[in-house]
Amino acid sequence: MELYRFECPSADIEALAQVVSDLVPEQTVFVQRAREDGTPYLDVQWVAMRFGSTARRMTLSVHIAAPALTRYRALPPRMRARSYAVLRAYVEAALGSLEEQYAAGEAVPREVTIELGDEFA
C-alpha cells in the first residue's frame, strides 16, 4: 500500500508536497493543478476520520502568487528552506484551525485554500 501518492508533473511542486506530507494522514493524494492563468497550485486530498462520526473527503489547496512562485523556482534547491518553512507553517496552522473548529462544535469545511504571497519567496 502506498503511503502517499504524488501526481505532480513539476519536480518543484512535488518537492512542496513532500515538505508537508507528514502533516496529513497516509493515503493522501497530492495533485498539481493549474489556475486559469496557468499558475500551478497544489491540492492535498485526504479522507478525514477525526472531524465527525463518518469519514469525509477533505481538500486543502495551496495557491502561491505567480511572482512568489517564480522567485521560488529561481532559487537553487539548497536555498529553498525558508520557502519550505513558510509553507509548512501555513499548512500546520490551517490544519490546527480545522481541529479547533471541530473541537468547538463548529462545522468543518471540506475545502480550504491557503494563499501564499511574498512571505513564501
Side-chain angles (χ1 to χ4, degrees):
M1 175 191 333
E2 293 180 73
L3 295 180
Y4 303 104
R5 192 169 78 223
F6 298 92
E7 298 176 2
C8 305
S10 300
D12 53 354
I13 300 298
E14 184 169 332
L16 295 175
Q18 294 279 350
V19 165
V20 297
S21 64
D22 68 320
L23 298 175
V24 291
E26 293 177 355
Q27 300 181 15
T28 294
V29 180
F30 298 87
V31 182
Q32 180 179 331
R33 302 203 186 282
R35 292 189 290 226
E36 290 179 13
D37 67 359
T39 303
Y41 69 93
L42 179 64
D43 262 354
V44 182
Q45 304 166 349
W46 74 98
V47 176
M49 302 298 287
R50 63 182 183 221
F51 297 133
S53 59
T54 61
R56 55 189 310 192
R57 182 165 293 291
M58 305 289 291
T59 301
L60 175 68
S61 296
V62 179
H63 293 230
I64 301 169
L69 186 59
T70 299
R71 286 191 301 273
Y72 162 77
R73 286 179 157 169
L75 291 170
R78 69 182 188 287
M79 301 290 289
R80 294 180 175 175
R82 181 182 173 283
S83 295
Y84 295 157
V86 168
L87 171 65
R88 189 169 174 86
Y90 273 74
V91 170
E92 284 178 331
L95 294 173
S97 177
L98 293 174
E99 290 174 359
E100 288 174 9
Q101 288 174 338
Y102 177 68
E106 300 171 15
V108 176
R110 292 179 185 260
E111 297 182 9
V112 175
T113 300
I114 296 172
E115 300 278 348
L116 295 173
D118 289 338
E119 68 278 4
F120 176 73

